[in-house]
Amino acid sequence: MPPPLFKPFRALGYITDSVPFAVQRRGKETFVTVSVGRTFQVYNCGKLTLVLVGPQLAGSIRCLAAKGDLTFAGVGHDIVECKRMHRSGLYRSPPIGSSNSSKVLSMLVMGDMLLSLEEVPLQPGKSGGRLVVWRIGQHDKPMNCVSLPEGFVPTCMAHPDTYLNKVVVGSSSGQMVLLNFVTGMLLYTFSGFKSAVRSVTSSPALDVVGLALADGRAVLYNLKYDEAVASFANAAGVGLGDTLIGGAEGAPQVPVGGNVGGSMGCTALSFRTGAGVPLMAAAGGAGVITVWNLEERRLHAVVKDAHDAPVVCLHFFAGEPLLMSSGADNALKHWVFDNMADAAPRLLRFRSGHAAPPTVVAHYGEGGLRLLAAGSDRAFRVFSTIQDQQSRELSQKHVGRKAKKLKVKEADLKLGRVIALDAGTVRERDWCNVITAHEGESAAFVWRLQHFTLGEHELRPPTPVVLPSASGRGATNQTKLEEVTGGRIGAAATAVCLSPCGNFGMVGSASGRLDRYNMQSGLHRGCYGRPHPNPTDIPNSLVPPGQKPIVSAHMGPVVGVAVDSCNRLMVSCGLDKVLRIWDFKAMKVLHEVQLPSSPCRMALHPGSCLVAVASGDTHGITVYDIEANGRLVRRFTGHEDRVTSLQLSADCRWLLSASMDGTLRVWDVPAAQCLQVLRLGPPVTSLSLSPSLDMLATTHINRRGIYLWSNQAVFSDPSLFVHSSKPVDVTLPSVSASASELQQQQQQLQQLSGQKRGRGGTGGVTIAGMAKGEGNDHKDSIADNGSSSSSDDEEGTGRKRKVGDGAVDGAASAGASSGASTSTGATGVEAEGASSDEDEGYAG
């Protein structure tokens, strides 16, 4: 089995998941531990900076607990103990009969003891529960194992203040019990409720705990007298956009727009401590946070769009007017109460990633140290591959303020899902340098990446004016006028492109129209169209003076558009099975190429003028030379399903393609062969190879992160990789790059730096499929069946080794920010350096 050409490096964009976090205070600082799939991350709550990333565990984490340097993660029926970033022990739950199929539901640290609440199967269709008590550091057997009553299926537990060695356990049936976990005795069974208890939280009041119920209520319960002190209806905040919410117990229950008793129940509670008005925060599956005044037993404030998914956990910091929340939308947020008025809390700072799987990713900049990504959550984000703190969402201009004014959700005002994007760095400091097409939007939008915000212009074609002599026919003439001036206006944008100079943006639409705009002013600068087949049949009154009638660039939706490096040629393809080559300045068709079938993806290498087109029917890929009038130079076959992404490498020697068949194929363009086939797990929806060829970024189906892969042709001996069509299985990267991988890459680069590769002894790294002495200028050799042509190698391979060194140095920094470094601080690994509040996700 040959080694994989791309090895897993790390995953970006994961902040938290649907597991409640664990908070602990160490000295003057507070740290929060969050779960991210099979590993955990530790943030400093001061500025939400990442300080530690745990090891990759055997399974998904179900619950978390922390004490000092130790982190406890419940995985299946076991508890994994980690000291900072290394595994230090395993608490294996006692078996039940011949097998152990219990599930750890919740954990609680009590001094030097660790309490584990487990659900155990009793017989087919029935479950029970038990409380397992461990002495921290003794992994062989537990101190005590307390069985819960028959039919009692536990869901949560809490330790009431001043109740020595006792915990309250809630169940899915609404019952609650009080246990002494040292003696193993069941002390009391409470009357309970008719709804499942989702969460139990200790309150500042003696003998009183807060209960979050599955029917949406939040209840204050007195354990001493076994009675409810107060009950707040619809504390989960379901349906707040349509109706008001109920107050204390006895208030009328208003109808809500969701399933209150199901997934929309109350899931989290937290109580404010210290001076000021006593407050209780509650949240649930609606993503809304409700804050209650416990003195007056009334609603204090509502945060309607706190999270775009169910809220998982809430925590009031001790003695501070600061609330922390986490949600299943991959976000961790801090809310501050500036005053004691009835105003809603203000978002202070946050860390967030994509709430839905991203579908578009692209490297930005010459070094490829930043990534642009967009997904189904309607968010457009920029990620840093070096420092996670610098990752952020691009602003869409006061969406939150507009949503609050119009009383709608923020998601309803955001732009649709990004389906195409292009970016350039040439004019980054002058004007907008990113252009995007959105699902269902007739206009293309521009972004100013320097300011991380949406631009001031919308790129949409102007409506042609009907001349007075023809205005008597109304809408009919207006439609005909659009047809003879470039195509129908108002169709959704499907393809975008930015000229290499950064001055022009091209937009293709579903009607086949292809327009050019000025990026600085946003003005329309012409339409690319074909000459009308019957110009004499067009009345002069329909054609503006000085113009000739033209029809749309394509007779169907435009699939792709791109411009060469000199602004001489432009290429476009559409579902009409035609590839057209245009004179960029004259806006005229130069050549047409009939494609074998309807295309689904197109990629152009601007320097060599080679364009790759993927077929949507045959799943094959054809490569054309647009400078040679669209001559066919390569044909690649092998994919068994629709191609989802396509890219030519910066040196034009590799063609990367991903397909719904679950494979990513690397094609050697000069040799006209498949270099390697990789199976990366879930199908790849988008890919981007960095300009320095050292890192590959991919997005996948049902994955909310962006995955980075290290190019082993740069970081190891490229002679190890031979042409093969046999699939190579590779696992997805984890959240952190291991220190061993970083050290191995450093050693490999040190060994390669002493070898002289390429002409003139530049010491560059040779890419697989590239002979010694080959450079970037090889387009002629491609047309001649891959025969090599010698050229200067310094700009090609020599530069790659230099950038590769920097990439590994940056990777080491990224690994440090993810817990991969071996230097330790007060809480584990010293991570990212200080940055501005704006970079850290501060709101406002």
Side-chain angles (χ1 to χ4, degrees):
M1 178 73 68
L5 186 57
F6 292 99
K7 281 190 176 180
F9 183 61
R10 62 181 296 227
L12 300 176
Y14 284 105
I15 305 299
T16 183
D17 57 15
S18 57
V19 175
F21 53 69
V23 181
Q24 66 167 332
R25 188 169 182 86
R26 305 195 66 184
K28 296 182 179 181
E29 296 183 324
T30 305
F31 299 90
V32 57
T33 304
V34 298
S35 167
V36 184
R38 295 189 176 189
T39 187
F40 59 86
Q41 299 180 146
V42 179
Y43 290 94
N44 187 325
C45 293
K47 291 187 177 180
L48 283 183
T49 52
L50 180 65
V51 296
L52 186 148
V53 175
Q56 195 78 358
L57 304 180
S60 298
I61 296 176
R62 299 178 58 90
C63 54
L64 286 169
K67 179 187 178 183
D69 289 339
L70 299 179
T71 301
F72 306 94
V75 180
H77 58 269
D78 297 330
I79 300 175
V80 181
E81 178 189 278
C82 299
K83 187 172 183 180
R84 293 176 178 169
M85 54 181 291
H86 303 286
R87 295 183 184 88
S88 57
L90 178 67
Y91 301 90
R92 189 172 293 277
S93 181
I96 304 171
S98 58
S99 63
N100 192 354
S101 55
S102 61
K103 298 178 181 178
V104 180
L105 302 176
S106 178
M107 291 185 295
L108 189 64
V109 175
M110 300 292 297
D112 61 346
M113 290 179 287
L114 174 66
L115 278 61
S116 169
L117 186 64
E118 300 180 0
E119 178 184 351
V120 296
L122 301 178
Q123 51 183 309
K126 293 186 179 180
S127 299
R130 64 179 179 180
L131 181 67
V132 182
V133 184
W134 301 86
R135 179 78 65 181
I136 296 178
Q138 297 180 2
H139 310 109
D140 50 352
K141 61 179 181 179
M143 293 177 51
N144 199 356
C145 189
V146 183
S147 297
L148 297 175
E150 184 178 355
F152 188 94
V153 181
T155 55
C156 54
M157 66 176 173
H159 167 65
D161 293 341
T162 71
Y163 280 56
L164 185 64
N165 299 333
K166 299 175 183 65
V167 291
V168 177
V169 182
S171 70
S172 59
S173 61
Q175 291 182 331
M176 295 190 304
V177 295
L178 182 66
L179 298 174
N180 188 315
F181 56 83
V182 174
T183 62
M185 294 180 58
L186 174 62
L187 301 179
Y188 190 76
T189 301
F190 298 95
S191 55
F193 302 88
K194 296 181 180 180
S195 180
V197 180
R198 294 282 187 86
S199 176
V200 180
T201 306
S202 179
S203 75
L206 189 65
D207 300 324
V208 177
V209 295
L211 306 177
L213 303 182
D215 61 4
R217 289 183 295 162
V219 178
L220 299 181
Y221 202 83
N222 191 304
L223 301 177
K224 183 175 182 179
Y225 295 100
D226 190 12
E227 63 180 8
V229 177
S231 178
F232 301 93
N234 195 16
V238 181
L240 288 183
D242 303 323
T243 57
L244 294 176
I245 129 182
E249 186 174 18
Q253 291 275 3
V254 298
V256 295
N259 180 14
V260 178
S263 60
M264 291 298 181
C266 191
T267 57
L269 294 177
S270 184
F271 295 89
R272 182 186 172 185
T273 59
V277 178
L279 299 176
M280 178 188 72
V288 177
I289 298 177
T290 59
V291 184
W292 303 84
N293 187 322
L294 299 182
E295 266 187 356
E296 302 178 7
R297 298 190 181 184
R298 65 175 181 85
L299 183 65
H300 179 82
V302 176
V303 184
K304 293 185 179 181
D305 293 319
H307 290 272
D308 295 331
V311 178
V312 175
C313 195
L314 296 173
H315 175 76
F316 263 113
F317 291 92
E320 299 181 42
L322 191 63
L323 175 69
M324 179 167 60
S325 65
S326 71
D329 60 347
N330 197 23
L332 188 66
K333 300 182 179 182
H334 283 182
W335 309 86
V336 62
F337 293 79
D338 294 315
N339 52 60
M340 290 299 101
D342 289 347
R346 175 174 58 89
L347 180 62
L348 178 64
R349 63 179 72 94
F350 63 96
R351 294 293 296 271
S352 62
H354 279 292
T359 55
V360 179
V361 65
H363 277 90
Y364 177 78
E366 294 183 359
L369 301 182
R370 287 194 285 180
L371 291 167
L372 301 177
S376 302
D377 57 353
R378 298 185 173 188
F380 188 27
R381 296 181 176 273
V382 55
F383 291 92
S384 172
T385 60
I386 300 299
Q387 198 172 41
D388 286 340
Q389 277 181 274
Q390 296 179 358
S391 303
R392 59 181 299 169
E393 180 181 357
L394 273 67
S395 170
Q396 297 191 21
K397 288 196 173 181
H398 310 299
V399 173
R401 187 182 305 172
K402 294 177 183 177
K404 187 176 181 180
K405 183 178 180 180
L406 299 175
K407 297 182 180 181
V408 296
K409 293 183 178 180
E410 287 187 24
D412 297 337
L413 297 182
K414 284 187 175 182
L415 298 175
R417 178 176 64 92
V418 174
I419 57 177
L421 70 87
D422 197 11
T425 59
V426 178
R427 294 292 188 176
E428 179 181 13
R429 298 185 179 183
D430 300 325
W431 51 72
C432 296
N433 62 320
V434 180
I435 181 172
T436 56
H438 298 259
E439 189 176 42
E441 295 284 351
S442 60
F445 294 84
V446 294
W447 307 75
R448 191 156 189 175
L449 203 59
Q450 188 182 24
H451 297 162
F452 301 101
T453 184
L454 181 67
E456 59 273 16
H457 304 300
E458 294 183 8
L459 306 183
R460 63 177 73 245
T463 303
V465 180
V466 181
L467 298 178
S469 59
S471 59
R473 294 174 184 171
T476 303
N477 280 327
Q478 182 68 43
T479 304
K480 290 183 178 180
L481 181 59
E482 293 179 3
E483 292 176 355
V484 299
T485 55
R488 182 170 57 89
I489 295 175
T494 56
V496 293
C497 169
L498 196 66
S499 64
C501 64
N503 295 322
F504 298 100
M506 275 56 67
V507 180
S509 70
S511 64
R513 187 181 178 95
L514 189 56
D515 295 280
R516 184 173 71 183
Y517 300 88
N518 183 282
M519 292 295 292
Q520 181 181 11
S521 63
L523 297 178
H524 186 258
R525 291 307 186 199
C527 179
Y528 292 85
R530 298 166 292 150
H532 198 281
N534 299 311
T536 57
D537 297 340
I538 305 300
N540 294 332
S541 58
L542 287 179
V543 182
Q547 295 186 15
K548 295 182 180 181
I550 57 174
V551 295
S552 59
H554 292 274
M555 297 184 64
V558 179
V559 174
V561 58
V563 183
D564 73 341
S565 59
C566 299
N567 280 7
R568 293 189 302 108
L569 301 175
M570 188 182 76
V571 60
S572 65
C573 68
L575 292 184
D576 55 358
K577 303 181 183 179
V578 178
L579 179 77
R580 289 189 169 90
I581 304 170
W582 306 82
D583 186 310
F584 179 76
K585 296 181 180 179
M587 308 180 73
K588 296 180 179 180
V589 178
L590 297 179
H591 304 283
E592 293 185 356
V593 179
Q594 192 67 33
L595 300 175
S597 62
S598 299
C600 61
R601 288 290 183 272
M602 189 194 82
L604 173 72
H605 185 263
S608 65
C609 291
L610 293 180
V611 59
V613 181
S615 170
D617 300 330
T618 63
H619 317 309
I621 303 173
T622 50
V623 181
Y624 302 92
D625 187 349
I626 64 173
E627 204 171 37
N629 302 336
R631 180 176 56 174
L632 176 64
V633 293
R634 287 291 182 269
R635 181 179 285 110
F636 300 107
T637 59
H639 283 299
E640 299 176 356
D641 206 337
R642 179 174 59 88
V643 175
T644 57
S645 188
L646 201 64
Q647 185 185 2
L648 284 158
S649 63
D651 61 356
C652 201
R653 293 188 173 273
W654 287 358
L655 172 62
L656 284 75
S657 61
S659 170
M660 288 299 294
D661 59 10
T663 63
L664 185 147
R665 293 176 181 262
V666 183
W667 310 92
D668 188 342
V669 179
Q673 296 183 31
C674 180
L675 183 59
Q676 195 171 86
V677 181
L678 296 100
R679 280 199 292 248
L680 307 181
V684 176
T685 56
S686 180
L687 62 87
S688 177
L689 184 63
S690 65
S692 55
L693 309 183
D694 55 350
M695 287 290 169
L696 172 69
T698 60
T699 60
H700 299 256
I701 290 180
N702 297 330
R703 295 292 188 275
R704 292 190 295 191
I706 299 173
Y707 297 90
L708 296 181
W709 311 78
S710 59
N711 186 354
Q712 296 305 298
V714 174
F715 296 112
S716 65
D717 187 2
S719 62
L720 298 175
F721 305 100
V722 296
H723 298 94
S724 173
S725 297
K726 186 176 181 181
V728 178
D729 293 322
V730 190
T731 58
L732 289 176
S734 60
V735 175
S736 64
S738 66
S740 60
E741 291 176 354
L742 295 172
Q743 184 177 6
Q744 181 182 3
Q745 290 184 357
Q746 292 276 18
Q747 293 175 352
Q748 291 171 346
L749 279 177
Q750 290 176 2
Q751 294 174 0
L752 290 171
S753 63
Q755 303 175 6
K756 296 186 180 293
R757 298 179 181 271
R759 184 187 306 177
T762 57
V765 174
T766 303
I767 304 301
M770 180 189 296
K772 294 183 179 180
E774 287 183 341
N776 286 333
D777 188 12
H778 62 282
K779 186 187 66 176
D780 295 336
S781 67
I782 295 176
D784 296 332
N785 296 326
S787 60
S788 300
S789 63
S790 61
S791 63
D792 195 329
D793 191 49
E794 289 186 2
E795 186 178 355
T797 57
R799 182 177 60 83
K800 292 178 186 64
R801 187 206 60 79
K802 183 177 180 180
V803 177
D805 284 339
V808 172
D809 293 339
S813 174
S817 68
S818 299
S821 173
T822 55
S823 59
T824 57
T827 63
V829 177
E830 294 179 352
E832 309 156 42
S835 61
S836 66
D837 292 350
E838 192 174 68
D839 287 340
E840 289 160 5
Y842 278 72

